[in-house]
Amino acid sequence: MTASSHSDSLVVLFGATAGAYGAKLGSDERELILLVWQVVDLHSKKVGTLHKCLVKIDNLELSDQCREVTGLTPEGLSKAEPLDRVLQQFSQLVSSDLKALGRSSYTFCTDGQLLIRQVLHPEASKKNLLLSDCFYSFFDLRKEFHNCYPNSASVKDQTIQSMAECIGFRIDETEEDFGVWQVKAMVAIIFNMLSDTRGAVHAFTDPETVKYKYETGPCSKSETVDSETVIRARGLPWQSSDQDIARFFKGLNIAKGGVALCLNAQGRRNGEALVRFVNSEQRDLALERHKHHMGSRYIEVYKATGEEFLKIAGGTSNEVAQFLSKENQVIIRMRGLPFTATPEDVLGFLGPQCPVTGGKEGLLFVKYPDGRPTGDAFVLFACEEYAQNALKKHKEILGKRYIELFRSTAAEVQQVLNRYMSTPLISTLPTPIIPVIPPPYTIAPGSVRDCVRLRGLPYTARIDDILEFMGDATADIKPHGVHMVLNQQGRPSGDAFIQMKSSDRAFLVAQKCHKKMMKDRYVEVFQCSGEEMNFVLMGGTLNRSGLSPPPCKLPCLSPPAYAAFQTAAGAVIPAEAAIYQSQALLPSSRTQQASAAAAAVAAAAAAATPAVTYYPAQAAQLYMNYTAYYPSPPVSPTTVGYITAPPAAVAAAASASHTPMLPQPGALVRMQGLPYNAGMKEILSFFQGYQYAPDDYSGFVQLNDQARSVLQAPKEWVCL
């Protein structure tokens, strides 16, 4: 049967789940257990047989509310048919009833939106059931009733009982089974609307619709996006595509191009997405899916703003708009391409099994503002089959590099292009170079084992995740005692150090939380001391078998100047971790507080001109991890404890050093990724043909201790 806006009959449909009832139907993700329906001929005002079907569910545990309201029991449901067979029976019985009434088409009529949008579509999607076309169109009896009787209660306040009372229909819930009396009352309400005593006959002509599939498309920064239509989804698997997110919200209508995957500071997906719906009603239904599951992960759903959506999904590039103008295309992102790769190389790598839409026109290479390639590209494919063939080439070799391939979205194309096109040519070096003010809280050395190490954290873990993981033990964390560890690329390393109030508390936390799950990973928790924490930050290892010293502590590797560094000074957080914060580790809701707090500290620092403390240069071993510092509640501010020093601090630092600060004029170039054995000759050869500062090698400035601590660049030169 097909649904139509001019159907000659309605199928009045009512259902219940094993959980919440009424306004919360479907919000707890419980399965459907009951369907009751009856066919209504809109012309002859005749009805078909009233049918009631129980549905067998995987988990026969019923909520107390369900037992009380429906009167159903697990024993009764165990004898029922599963949902797929119930839907088959439904189709057959409806066809038979329509034939008896001499009708051919129908549209559903339900009590509100929830049964269709929040129960049937999500459950069918999770069970990989294909719903027939009739489930994509329905009449909301509450809206139809309000249109017919404008003076009645608002749509959100309507119930079957209130609508029945409005027309004078008496309901005796004790005489009929649950579900049966609701359908009978709904039918009576419909008949009253069709033959109102005022002479006005209501016409069922404008049904609600459910989108069959998510439509991709570009979004311009000039668009106006209503903040009442946008949500933020958190906790997504990193490989999720826009279609996966649309499937999670199955039954709700997402706007065209309305899924925007968020990227972290390194350009990788951070497990969040902004989703734009067609109206505020759909957005409100989406918020009811907070902590519903995508596979084994639960997804958090919060309100967001139109400005946030445009910041992620909006674009201004004509090149991108032209690339995305080909609709209904599957987008694949390629990452790690050789910088010399040409369109012919990419097409040859993909091969004839996955032809690119439009050949070279279906390729979009991502470049920096000066035209240099970034190693990223986006590819268009005409169908899912071609895209699947391309994804099979994930981590195959092109040239001398393996290529990563991922599903992508129009919003991600915009976001990646926006990120790179707005990136300055020297993206990691601040101008001017300035010292930073360290926090008053450092990792104090010592042998007291009042700390714990968390190893194996999910890379998307935030401070809030750690606090939730530790549970009641968060009350025993020292102020400013949470330390996230970043690797030498500035990315989360999976480690964190927590300073507890006592060794006993650290021991209890290690016993209680060891191998406890955080998201989809178990986390190892070891008790340790401040000294052991410092050793690990220098490249040592710590587990339940004990502590292994870092390479820089081994006699054969210890540099001559290492004795100048004493761990008694305490481990100070590297300055670079302060200057280049990893925002992926900070809850977005705290950004404004952090900015205000940083401004306040900056003002105080400008007035007092405090002494500047630096990370010891001799400790900047190649094995060193970067440590990002975060305070723990209830202490504020809730951001990194370093801020950029005011001009007075710069002057003080410069005057305190025999070596002048780096000159301000001129172009600075920072070199990363040098071979460990690279010397001055190799660097000069690399820059052959370019003019650097005169006076022989004076253009290569060996950084003093203070400047080096800011750059955190062992064995590194800066060209002027």
Side-chain angles (χ1 to χ4, degrees):
M1 293 295 166
T2 59
S4 169
S5 60
H6 300 286
S7 298
D8 45 25
S9 35
L10 299 177
V11 172
V12 178
L13 184 68
F14 181 84
T17 69
Y21 170 72
K24 288 296 183 180
L25 183 69
S27 64
D28 53 6
E29 220 175 353
R30 299 299 294 271
E31 295 175 274
L32 186 73
I33 61 171
L34 174 69
L35 277 179
V36 186
W37 71 90
Q38 188 172 26
V39 177
V40 176
D41 187 335
L42 294 176
H43 300 288
S44 66
K45 298 179 184 177
K46 295 180 180 179
V47 297
T49 306
L50 192 148
H51 301 277
K52 178 178 179 179
C53 269
L54 299 181
V55 184
K56 185 178 181 179
I57 56 179
D58 297 333
N59 182 5
L60 290 175
E61 182 180 349
L62 307 181
S63 70
D64 294 338
Q65 184 184 28
C66 174
R67 289 173 182 266
E68 180 181 352
V69 172
T70 67
L72 298 175
T73 63
E75 292 75 18
L77 292 176
S78 65
K79 300 175 183 178
E81 296 287 349
L83 181 60
D84 55 345
R85 294 191 181 180
V86 170
L87 293 177
Q88 292 176 5
Q89 294 175 12
F90 167 84
S91 180
Q92 295 169 0
L93 292 171
V94 168
S95 298
S96 177
D97 290 344
L98 285 173
K99 186 176 181 180
L101 293 170
R103 300 301 176 187
S104 59
S105 64
Y106 69 91
T107 305
F108 283 123
C109 182
T110 61
D111 174 32
Q113 307 265 319
L114 303 183
L115 178 61
I116 297 291
R117 296 192 184 276
Q118 298 285 67
V119 178
L120 280 166
H121 277 284
E123 185 171 340
S125 177
K126 289 179 182 178
K127 295 182 176 179
N128 293 316
L129 302 179
L130 184 63
L131 293 177
S132 59
D133 291 348
C134 63
F135 288 94
Y136 289 84
S137 179
F138 67 98
F139 289 105
D140 181 344
L141 183 59
R142 300 185 185 191
K143 289 185 178 180
E144 298 296 323
F145 187 84
H146 187 73
N147 291 338
C148 186
Y149 303 102
N151 295 326
S152 62
S154 63
V155 173
K156 66 177 182 179
D157 295 328
Q158 296 278 19
T159 64
I160 295 177
Q161 292 90 334
S162 67
M163 289 185 288
E165 290 174 2
C166 186
I167 65 171
F169 181 79
R170 186 184 67 86
I171 296 178
D172 188 351
E173 302 178 15
T174 61
E175 293 182 0
E176 303 286 356
D177 291 340
F178 178 81
V180 173
W181 67 261
Q182 285 93 337
V183 170
K184 287 185 175 181
M186 291 167 68
V187 170
I189 293 167
I190 292 171
F191 282 157
N192 193 81
M193 295 165 62
L194 292 174
S195 57
D196 191 82
T197 55
R198 300 169 302 173
V201 178
H202 182 75
F204 290 86
T205 57
D206 190 16
E208 300 282 321
T209 58
V210 180
K211 285 191 175 183
Y212 284 87
K213 64 177 183 178
Y214 166 68
E215 300 175 275
T216 61
C219 175
S220 171
K221 284 190 180 293
S222 61
E223 286 188 36
T224 300
V225 178
D226 185 358
S227 292
E228 295 300 311
T229 65
V230 183
I231 63 93
R232 179 183 295 272
R234 296 176 56 183
L236 299 164
W238 65 268
Q239 65 271 56
S240 297
S241 68
D242 54 350
Q243 297 295 340
D244 296 324
I245 296 170
R247 185 174 182 179
F248 175 79
F249 290 107
K250 186 69 174 176
L252 306 180
N253 293 340
I254 299 174
K256 184 177 180 179
V259 176
L261 297 168
C262 301
L263 307 180
N264 62 18
Q266 288 76 40
R268 299 176 183 271
R269 297 174 188 173
N270 64 1
E272 295 190 7
L274 293 171
V275 186
R276 177 188 179 190
F277 294 89
V278 296
N279 55 42
S280 59
E281 180 184 35
Q282 304 288 304
R283 193 283 305 267
D284 292 341
L285 292 175
L287 291 172
E288 292 296 323
R289 299 198 186 181
H290 179 59
K291 293 199 172 180
H292 282 204
H293 287 76
M294 179 184 289
S296 59
R297 301 172 66 102
Y298 71 83
I299 309 301
E300 301 172 61
V301 182
Y302 304 100
K303 291 182 180 180
T305 66
E307 290 77 9
E308 290 176 304
F309 182 83
L310 285 176
K311 183 178 180 180
I312 299 298
T316 57
S317 170
N318 292 330
E319 182 183 13
V320 176
Q322 184 176 358
F323 176 78
L324 297 175
S325 63
K326 302 178 179 65
E327 297 185 359
N328 299 321
Q329 299 289 309
V330 183
I331 305 175
I332 297 296
R333 179 181 180 183
M334 302 181 69
R335 194 166 64 198
L337 291 168
F339 295 148
T340 57
T342 64
E344 291 78 9
D345 295 333
V346 175
L347 293 175
F349 172 80
L350 295 171
Q353 297 83 8
C354 34
V356 177
T357 300
K360 295 181 182 180
E361 294 181 0
L363 297 177
L364 178 64
F365 288 88
V366 183
K367 299 179 180 180
Y368 289 108
D370 60 355
R372 290 179 298 115
T374 64
D376 277 27
F378 293 94
V379 189
L380 295 178
F381 294 101
C383 64
E384 184 65 27
E385 179 184 357
Y386 295 160
Q388 287 290 348
N389 291 338
L391 290 173
K392 293 177 182 177
K393 297 181 178 291
H394 180 60
K395 292 198 174 181
E396 288 190 8
I397 302 297
L398 174 59
K400 295 183 179 180
R401 305 189 65 174
Y402 72 84
I403 311 301
E404 298 176 295
L405 290 94
F406 309 97
R407 289 182 176 276
S408 189
T409 69
E412 186 175 29
V413 176
Q414 297 281 20
Q415 190 179 359
V416 171
L417 265 293
N418 291 346
R419 177 185 300 274
Y420 281 114
M421 291 305 294
S422 62
T423 301
L425 297 183
I426 309 174
S427 60
T428 58
L429 187 63
T431 303
I433 299 177
I434 52 180
V436 294
I437 302 173
Y441 304 98
T442 58
I443 304 175
S447 58
V448 178
R449 297 172 65 83
D450 57 353
C451 308
V452 290
R453 177 190 184 188
L454 275 59
R455 187 172 71 177
L457 295 168
Y459 294 136
T460 58
R462 297 167 177 261
I463 300 299
D464 288 345
D465 298 320
I466 292 178
L467 299 179
E468 181 180 352
F469 171 82
M470 296 184 66
D472 297 339
T474 55
D476 299 316
I477 298 176
K478 285 185 178 180
H480 303 270
V482 179
H483 303 266
M484 299 288 288
V485 180
L486 308 181
N487 62 21
Q488 293 184 350
Q489 287 74 46
R491 298 171 183 163
S493 66
D495 275 22
F497 285 106
I498 314 294
Q499 293 175 282
M500 308 300 293
K501 292 182 178 178
S502 67
S503 58
D504 292 340
R505 295 300 179 185
F507 174 79
L508 292 175
V509 170
Q511 294 297 316
K512 178 181 178 181
C513 297
H514 183 58
K515 293 197 174 181
K516 179 180 172 183
M517 298 297 294
M518 179 185 294
K519 298 184 179 179
D520 58 346
R521 301 187 63 173
Y522 73 83
V523 178
E524 298 176 289
V525 183
F526 309 121
Q527 184 183 10
C528 63
S529 65
E531 183 177 9
E532 290 170 334
M533 288 170 65
N534 294 332
F535 270 46
V536 172
L537 290 178
M538 287 185 289
T541 59
L542 172 66
N543 52 40
R544 290 184 175 261
S545 300
L547 176 71
S548 299
C552 57
K553 277 290 190 179
L554 298 177
C556 59
L557 296 178
S558 180
Y562 184 79
F565 169 63
Q566 300 296 331
T567 57
V572 182
I573 312 306
E576 184 168 318
I579 296 178
Y580 315 109
Q581 303 176 24
S582 178
Q583 294 296 335
L585 298 175
L586 288 173
S588 57
S589 61
R590 301 179 180 177
T591 304
Q592 294 179 351
Q593 301 175 18
S595 301
V601 179
T609 314
V612 180
T613 305
Y614 295 91
Y615 196 88
Q618 292 84 354
Q621 302 296 322
L622 294 176
Y623 322 103
M624 179 67 70
N625 290 324
Y626 294 164
T627 308
Y629 162 81
Y630 299 90
S632 50
V635 183
S636 62
T638 54
T639 185
V640 174
Y642 295 115
I643 60 168
T644 303
V650 179
S655 62
S657 173
H658 297 292
T659 306
M661 296 291 287
L662 291 177
Q664 300 304 326
L668 298 174
V669 178
R670 179 182 178 184
M671 302 180 68
Q672 288 182 303
L674 289 170
Y676 295 153
N677 57 354
M680 189 177 297
K681 290 182 179 180
E682 285 78 16
I683 297 176
L684 290 172
S685 176
F686 179 82
F687 283 104
Q688 186 174 3
Y690 293 88
Q691 183 178 2
Y692 47 88
D695 299 329
D696 204 7
Y697 299 141
S698 61
F700 296 94
V701 179
Q702 287 183 296
L703 305 180
N704 59 37
D705 289 353
Q706 293 175 329
R708 182 180 296 277
S709 68
V710 175
L711 291 174
Q712 285 294 301
K715 296 189 177 180
E716 187 170 67
W717 297 86
V718 176
C719 305
L720 300 180

